[in-house]
């Protein structure tokens, strides 16, 4: 019975890590359903981007209030969880504050953890007020109803509870240190929880120990729960922001990719000596089986990584000129729809033992409408605004490409323009010989 708590802790720890590993495996499988793309270029720039954007949070502080609050929560939550290492060792070995031997260093660490925990609580409360009382516009868009809104609030509640448990655990521990309870050695500095400790005056030592142990258990179980909840939450970006910023676009925002097959075709048309009916040399026919994107498996794995990394912060949508003028397009919804469809495809594969069975649905039409796609001005405002280097425009342009090249389903005005370019060499409905007629009239 002496080692029962240690065994129980080991079981809980293994279960939590096991479920997390299973979720990571599922996540990796879904992302790799996308097409391969070469992102091995300019590794030094990619590492700099990751350090600057994901670690340094440089794009978050463009909006100072939200940026500062996010940095507090981000840094606080990550650093405080360094204490999880001590909790795990104590739980497995049956020790208590095993790092107390660090002396002054330990005092500084615990004090830092507590100050950050207090700041996290303040930041979380402010975030909740912004979402639910002030109701900032980007948090009340149509795509944020239902689960996305509940998820955003649930994360705040979890963080608030975890930080409160952390401070309660320390406050009870500090009280027990003062009364000389067994195993509670004098260790740590408690600038915040020392004000909680007086609440335990007059309470029996056994009861305070029970409170401290309960808070300790709930804190570590809560962290394991949060770790596994990440997969189902927008907070998956805690893990994916780093690879996503590493694999982010390095070329100029206004530079679009060309289809090699189309480029060759255009060059062929411009070469008067070329035989347009000649078959391509063996092995050099690079015409894709399908132009553009109609479902998630047509996207690249980087685009699917983008979808899972989306923080649902809405900065992209709030900067989108189409959305600002009342059109249906929301870049955030594009990413959320892509992730939801990818999850649906992944569950289909699991249900059918590793093989996808056609479900009669696709990303285009069932999730994202033609109206949304054609509302985009391709201005790249959404790409510039994203704090974790997500590129909604690339998905929009790929789906447009499918509509134009596979279904000839472009809007009539666009079809007229492309027809004029083909026939007249310009988007206007005038023969090349007549272009300057207007000048003669003046």
């Amino acid at each position: 019975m002496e080692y029962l708590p240690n065994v129980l802790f080991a079981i809980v720890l293994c279960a939590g890590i096991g479920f997390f590993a299973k979720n990571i495996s599922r996540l990796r499988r879904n992302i790799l359903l996308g097409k391969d793309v070469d992102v091995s270029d300019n590794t030094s720039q990619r590492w700099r981007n990751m350090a600057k954007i994901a670690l340094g949070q440089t794009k978050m502080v463009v909006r100072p209030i939200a940026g500062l609050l996010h940095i507090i929560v981000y840094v606080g939550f990550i650093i405080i969880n360094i204490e999880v290492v001590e909790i795990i060792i104590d739980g497995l070995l049956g020790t208590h504050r095993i790092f107390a031997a660090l002396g002054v260093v330990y005092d500084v660490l615990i004090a830092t953890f507590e100050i950050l925990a207090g700041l996290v609580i303040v930041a979380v409360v402010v975030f909740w007020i912004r979402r639910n009382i002030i109701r900032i516009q980007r948090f009340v868009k149509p795509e944020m109803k239902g689960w996305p809104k509940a998820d955003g609030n649930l994360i705040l509640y979890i963080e608030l509870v975890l930080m409160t448990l952390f401070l309660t655990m320390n406050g009870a521990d500090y009280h027990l240190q003062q009364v000389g309870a067994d195993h509670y050695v004098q260790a740590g500095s408690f600038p915040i929880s020392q004000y909680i400790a007086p609440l335990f005056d007059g309470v029996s030592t056994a009861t305070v120990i029970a409170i401290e142990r309960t808070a300790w258990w709930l804190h570590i179980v809560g962290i394991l729960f949060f770790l596994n909840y990440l997969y189902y939450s927008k907070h998956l970006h805690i893990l994916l922001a780093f690879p996503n910023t590493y694999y982010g676009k390095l070329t100029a925002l206004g530079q679009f990719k060309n289809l090699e097959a189309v480029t060759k075709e255009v060059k062929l048309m411009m070469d008067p000596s070329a035989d347009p009916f000649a078959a391509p040399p063996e092995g050099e026919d690079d015409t894709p089986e399908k132009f553009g994107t109609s479902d998630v498996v047509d996207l690249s794995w980087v685009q699917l990584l983008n979808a899972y990394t989306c923080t649902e912060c809405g900065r992209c949508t709030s900067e989108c000129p189409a959305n600002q003028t009342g059109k249906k397009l929301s870049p955030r919804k594009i990413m959320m729809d892509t992730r939801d469809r990818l999850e649906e495809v992944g569950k289909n594969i699991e249900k059918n033992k590793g093989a996808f069975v056609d479900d009669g649905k696709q990303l285009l039409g069932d999730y994202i409408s033609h109206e949304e796609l054609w509302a985009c001005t391709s201005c790249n405002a959404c790409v510039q605004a994203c704090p974790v280097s997500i590129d909604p425009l690339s998905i929009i342009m790929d789906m447009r490409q499918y509509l134009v090249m596979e279904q000839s389903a472009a809007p009539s005005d666009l079809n007229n323009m492309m027809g004029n370019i083909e026939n007249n060499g310009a988007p206007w409905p005038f023969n090349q010989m007549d272009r300057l007629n207007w000048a003669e009239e003046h």
Side-chain angles (χ1 to χ4, degrees):
M1 293 297 291
E2 180 183 355
Y3 299 104
L4 181 59
N6 309 77
V7 174
L8 180 59
F9 180 85
I11 293 172
V12 171
L13 182 64
C14 289
I17 294 175
F19 280 117
F20 177 70
K22 183 178 179 180
N23 284 337
I24 292 298
S25 176
R26 184 186 297 123
L27 175 69
R28 181 178 182 275
R29 181 207 61 201
N30 288 354
I31 290 174
L32 292 181
L33 291 174
K35 293 183 177 179
D36 193 23
V37 59
D38 184 12
V39 284
S40 60
D41 61 315
N42 206 342
T43 55
S44 60
Q45 181 62 50
R46 293 186 182 279
W47 281 111
R48 283 196 296 271
N49 286 351
M50 184 176 72
K52 181 174 66 174
I53 300 172
L55 186 62
Q57 304 276 294
T58 53
K59 295 186 76 173
M60 284 299 302
V61 295
V62 172
R63 301 189 181 193
I65 295 177
L68 178 61
L69 292 172
H70 186 275
I71 289 174
I72 288 172
V73 173
Y74 174 74
V75 174
F77 196 79
I78 297 300
I79 292 181
I80 289 169
N81 282 332
I82 294 175
E83 193 191 23
V84 172
V85 176
E86 183 181 53
I87 291 177
I88 290 174
I89 294 174
D90 284 344
L92 292 174
L93 301 182
T95 54
H96 185 75
R97 294 194 179 272
I98 194 170
F99 293 153
L102 295 174
V104 175
V105 174
Y106 188 75
D107 292 346
V108 172
L109 283 174
I110 297 300
T112 303
F113 295 162
E114 288 220 343
I115 292 170
L116 284 170
L119 290 174
V120 168
I121 289 175
V122 172
V124 163
V125 170
V126 174
F127 274 138
W128 188 90
I129 292 172
R130 283 161 55 88
R131 281 179 171 270
N132 299 281
I133 298 179
I134 299 176
R135 292 174 62 82
I136 292 176
Q137 187 63 29
R138 59 192 171 101
F139 295 133
V140 294
K141 294 289 185 179
E143 67 268 19
M144 294 306 292
K145 294 179 179 178
W147 170 246
K149 179 180 179 180
D151 175 45
N153 282 328
L154 184 56
I155 285 292
L156 297 179
Y157 299 145
I158 291 173
E159 291 173 345
L160 181 63
V161 168
L162 288 177
M163 295 303 103
T164 302
L165 286 170
F166 171 74
L167 293 174
T168 301
M169 174 184 75
N170 280 356
D173 196 302
Y174 179 69
H175 173 85
L176 292 167
Q177 291 181 27
Q178 303 309 305
V179 300
D182 291 341
H183 308 299
Y184 289 89
V185 296
Q186 294 284 336
S189 179
F190 307 94
I192 304 294
S193 61
Q194 65 178 334
Y195 298 106
I196 299 176
L199 296 176
F200 303 115
D201 291 344
V203 180
S204 68
T205 298
T207 301
V208 178
I209 290 175
I211 292 172
E212 188 274 334
R213 288 290 83 193
T214 299
W216 184 92
W217 272 99
L218 289 177
H219 183 66
I220 186 62
V221 170
I223 288 173
L224 292 173
F225 170 80
F226 180 80
L227 187 66
N228 284 281
Y229 175 71
L230 288 180
Y231 178 82
Y232 307 96
S233 164
K234 72 187 184 72
H235 271 60
L236 191 55
H237 73 272
I238 291 175
L239 303 178
L240 297 185
F242 292 91
N244 199 74
T245 51
Y246 179 86
Y247 292 118
K249 184 177 180 180
L250 297 182
T251 56
L253 293 184
Q255 180 178 335
F256 293 97
K257 65 181 180 181
N258 292 323
L259 280 176
E260 188 63 27
V262 175
T263 301
K264 287 183 178 179
E265 187 70 22
V266 172
K267 289 180 178 178
L268 181 65
M269 293 172 63
M270 298 178 67
D271 184 358
S273 64
D275 180 3
F277 302 104
E282 186 176 352
E284 294 188 15
D285 185 7
D286 56 359
T287 303
E289 295 180 4
K290 179 179 182 179
F291 289 99
T293 293
S294 64
D295 209 351
V296 289
V297 293
D298 303 324
L299 297 169
S300 73
W301 65 264
V302 172
Q303 290 170 311
L304 300 184
L305 174 63
N306 278 188
Y308 273 122
T309 308
C310 180
T311 71
E312 298 179 15
C313 67
R315 294 186 180 209
C316 55
T317 294
S318 67
E319 296 288 339
C320 175
N323 190 272
Q324 289 177 6
T325 55
K327 295 180 176 62
K328 284 189 175 181
L329 174 64
S330 168
R332 172 174 56 190
K333 179 180 177 295
I334 296 293
M335 303 314 301
M336 293 169 68
D337 286 342
T338 302
R339 182 185 61 209
D340 291 346
R341 173 56 181 165
L342 182 54
E343 273 293 291
E344 187 176 47
V345 170
K347 290 176 182 177
N348 182 304
I349 291 173
E350 288 179 1
K351 181 179 178 181
N352 295 287
K353 299 179 180 179
F356 177 74
V357 176
D358 186 11
D359 57 2
K361 294 199 234 177
Q362 60 179 8
L363 182 62
L364 177 61
D366 293 296
Y367 284 84
I368 301 173
S369 68
H370 295 198
E371 182 180 355
E372 292 172 80
L373 296 175
W374 293 115
C376 177
T377 67
S378 65
C379 68
N380 273 290
C382 57
V383 184
Q384 178 65 33
C386 181
V388 287
S389 301
I390 292 171
D391 187 0
L393 181 59
S394 68
I395 296 177
I396 292 172
M397 297 305 292
D398 284 353
M399 297 182 80
R400 278 184 175 182
Q401 187 179 83
Y402 174 82
L403 289 173
V404 172
M405 301 189 72
E406 293 284 349
Q407 296 191 331
S408 299
S412 58
D413 289 344
L414 185 57
N415 278 329
N416 291 336
M417 182 197 73
M418 289 189 290
N420 290 331
I421 290 175
E422 181 178 3
N423 297 322
N424 304 323
W428 304 285
F430 305 111
N431 185 282
Q432 294 186 40
M433 301 299 295
D434 298 330
R435 285 187 193 172
L436 289 178
N437 288 352
W438 66 273
E440 298 174 2
E441 297 175 2
H442 298 279

